């Protein structure tokens, strides 16, 4: 079924519904989890080729992540679940996204069949762009060289984009972004992404301890595979795509109280309202400190006061990280 991020950006998961408006276009192929600066280089190359030829540009990606399919007991920490991936893709200027279901049967498709049946016969591509490390087909036989040769035989062009590096000369990768978040280095993760990372979940009822402390929170249960470092973060949040509101959040097990399952607890500054049952998107700007246990409620409240003041100062100085950050997250509050 076709879903729309906007009227101008179709997201297609069924090839039978592939829009004719995207045919004879340039496709960027990859998993694109995070749509980080390295991925953006691939997408940008596809856009440049497409615009030069006055044809559409779109992405071909796969859901769920292949590593999760092959190792379901250890699902991948997803940086951008499909809805967020589509939002960032749309922000790059692409004309649409094809998100094919990734199953073991799909993984068993021969590389030749992927090229002939999908790229040529279903998508009718004019040109394909991939990263240097993208492989496809059974046994990962579809190498960049394989794709070049197949394109030459089937009448479409192929461009392979080399590894993107950051200002320090290190490769930009999804695994590096995940490692930065796991270490609590949100600033580095956001720099590698080129936009500020966020999570999204439905606000659930909690123990309501925050009310008694003077800090009522919106509580979100994140996926179990989320490897974000426990700690206190300066954040912005919005409900159901509304206006961003500054705040401070704790992600962790609440060692002062119950040391329970990890929970994201968000306190929004200067806000009053009922968020239960709404989907809250929480954008992380910086980690303020690690989670810790306090010997008294008074000591905890005093620290929360300091955290709030620090978060306000951090958020007051935020500026967009670039055009994609501006398009995804909007101007600073």
């Amino acid at each position: 079924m076709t879903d729309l991020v906007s009227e101008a950006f179709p997201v297609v998961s069924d090839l039978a519904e592939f829009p004719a408006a995207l045919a004879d276009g340039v496709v960027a192929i990859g998993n694109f989890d995070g749509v980080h600066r390295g991925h953006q280089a691939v997408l940008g190359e596809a856009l440049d080729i497409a615009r030069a030829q006055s044809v559409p540009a779109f992405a071909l990606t796969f859901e769920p992540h292949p590593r999760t399919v092959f190792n379901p007991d250890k699902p991948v920490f997803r940086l951008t679940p499909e809805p967020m991936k589509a939002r960032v893709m749309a922000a790059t200027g692409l004309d649409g996204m094809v998100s094919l279901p990734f199953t073991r049967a799909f993984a068993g498709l021969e590389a030749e069949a992927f090229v002939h049946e999908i790229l040529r016969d279903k998508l009718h591509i004019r040109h394909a762009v991939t990263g240097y490390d993208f492989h496809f087909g059974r046994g990962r036989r579809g190498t960049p060289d394989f794709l070049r040769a197949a394109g030459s035989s089937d009448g479409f062009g192929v461009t392979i984009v080399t590894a993107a590096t950051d200002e320090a000369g290190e490769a930009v990768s999804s695994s590096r972004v995940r490692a930065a978040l796991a270490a609590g280095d949100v600033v580095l993760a956001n720099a590698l992404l080129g936009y500020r990372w966020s999570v999204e979940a439905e606000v659930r009822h909690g123990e309501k301890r925050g009310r008694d402390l003077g800090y009522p929170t919106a509580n979100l249960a994140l996926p179990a595979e989320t490897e974000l470092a426990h700690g206190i973060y300066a954040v912005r949040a919005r409900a159901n795509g509304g206006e961003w509101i500054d705040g401070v959040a704790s992600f962790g097990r609440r060692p002062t109280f119950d040391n329970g399952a990890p929970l994201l607890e968000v306190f929004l500054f200067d806000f009053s309202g009922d968020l239960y049952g709404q989907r809250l998107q929480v954008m992380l700007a910086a980690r303020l400190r690690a989670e810790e246990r306090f010997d008294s409620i008074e000591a905890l409240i005093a620290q929360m006061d300091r955290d709030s003041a620090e978060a306000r100062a951090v958020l007051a100085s935020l500026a967009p990280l670039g055009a994609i950050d501006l398009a995804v997250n909007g101007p600073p509050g």
Side-chain angles (χ1 to χ4, degrees), residues 26-97:
V26 179
V27 62
I29 313 172
N31 290 318
F32 298 124
D33 185 34
V35 199
H36 55 60
R37 286 165 51 189
H39 297 147
Q40 290 164 30
V42 175
L43 303 175
E45 183 69 20
L47 275 164
D48 288 345
I49 295 169
R51 298 301 178 252
Q53 300 183 36
S54 299
V55 298
F58 65 97
L60 172 60
T61 187
F62 313 96
E63 292 289 341
H65 195 286
R67 279 169 48 197
T68 296
V69 172
F70 288 117
N71 196 358
D73 292 336
K74 292 185 178 180
V76 173
F77 167 23
R78 292 298 306 276
L79 300 171
T80 47
E82 187 176 42
M84 178 55 70
K85 185 192 292 188
R87 286 180 213 163
V88 184
M89 292 279 193
T92 68
L94 290 175
D95 299 303
M97 183 174 102

Side-chain angles (χ1 to χ4, degrees), residues 26-296:
V26 179
V27 62
I29 313 172
N31 290 318
F32 298 124
D33 185 34
V35 199
H36 55 60
R37 286 165 51 189
H39 297 147
Q40 290 164 30
V42 175
L43 303 175
E45 183 69 20
L47 275 164
D48 288 345
I49 295 169
R51 298 301 178 252
Q53 300 183 36
S54 299
V55 298
F58 65 97
L60 172 60
T61 187
F62 313 96
E63 292 289 341
H65 195 286
R67 279 169 48 197
T68 296
V69 172
F70 288 117
N71 196 358
D73 292 336
K74 292 185 178 180
V76 173
F77 167 23
R78 292 298 306 276
L79 300 171
T80 47
E82 187 176 42
M84 178 55 70
K85 185 192 292 188
R87 286 180 213 163
V88 184
M89 292 279 193
T92 68
L94 290 175
D95 299 303
M97 183 174 102
V98 176
S99 181
L100 294 183
F102 192 90
T103 62
R104 286 183 174 272
F106 182 84
L109 193 68
E110 295 292 347
E112 292 86 354
F114 178 83
V115 171
H116 300 326
E117 297 174 14
I118 295 177
L119 299 185
R120 184 189 66 188
D121 297 342
K122 296 291 175 90
L123 302 181
H124 310 289
I125 68 168
R126 172 182 295 219
H127 200 102
V129 181
T130 70
Y132 70 100
D133 56 350
F134 178 72
H135 291 69
F136 60 93
R138 188 165 71 89
R140 292 171 57 85
R141 286 182 50 244
T143 64
D145 286 340
F146 180 99
L147 187 60
R148 282 195 188 96
S152 179
S153 299
D154 280 9
F156 60 84
V158 174
T159 297
I160 306 299
V161 178
T162 58
T165 57
D166 64 10
E167 291 72 14
E170 294 187 60
V172 178
S173 67
S174 299
S175 58
R176 193 171 165 217
V177 176
R178 293 187 192 102
L181 292 171
D185 195 343
V186 174
V187 173
L188 173 59
N190 291 343
L192 294 172
L193 291 168
Y195 62 92
R196 290 188 171 89
W197 184 70
S198 65
V199 295
E200 186 172 346
E202 183 176 306
V203 178
R204 49 171 278 183
H205 288 275
E207 298 296 326
K208 298 182 173 58
R209 294 192 189 97
R211 290 183 184 177
D212 298 333
L213 301 175
Y215 283 90
T217 59
N219 302 318
L220 290 77
L222 303 184
E225 61 269 21
T226 302
E227 294 175 2
L228 178 67
H230 292 182
I232 311 304
Y233 293 85
V235 303
R236 282 193 172 130
R238 61 181 175 184
N240 300 325
E243 295 296 318
W244 289 106
I245 303 172
D246 288 357
V248 62
S250 169
F251 180 61
R253 297 182 178 276
R254 304 160 305 284
T256 302
F257 297 104
D258 60 359
N259 209 33
L263 195 66
L264 182 66
E265 300 172 281
V266 185
F267 172 67
L268 300 177
F269 301 141
D270 311 313
F271 173 81
S272 62
D274 185 356
L275 294 172
Y276 291 123
Q278 297 190 52
R279 289 197 68 78
L280 194 69
Q281 182 183 354
V282 184
M283 178 184 72
L284 279 66
R287 185 176 187 239
L288 306 181
R289 63 176 176 86
E291 186 179 43
E292 57 184 296
R293 183 184 182 281
F294 292 87
D295 293 330
S296 70

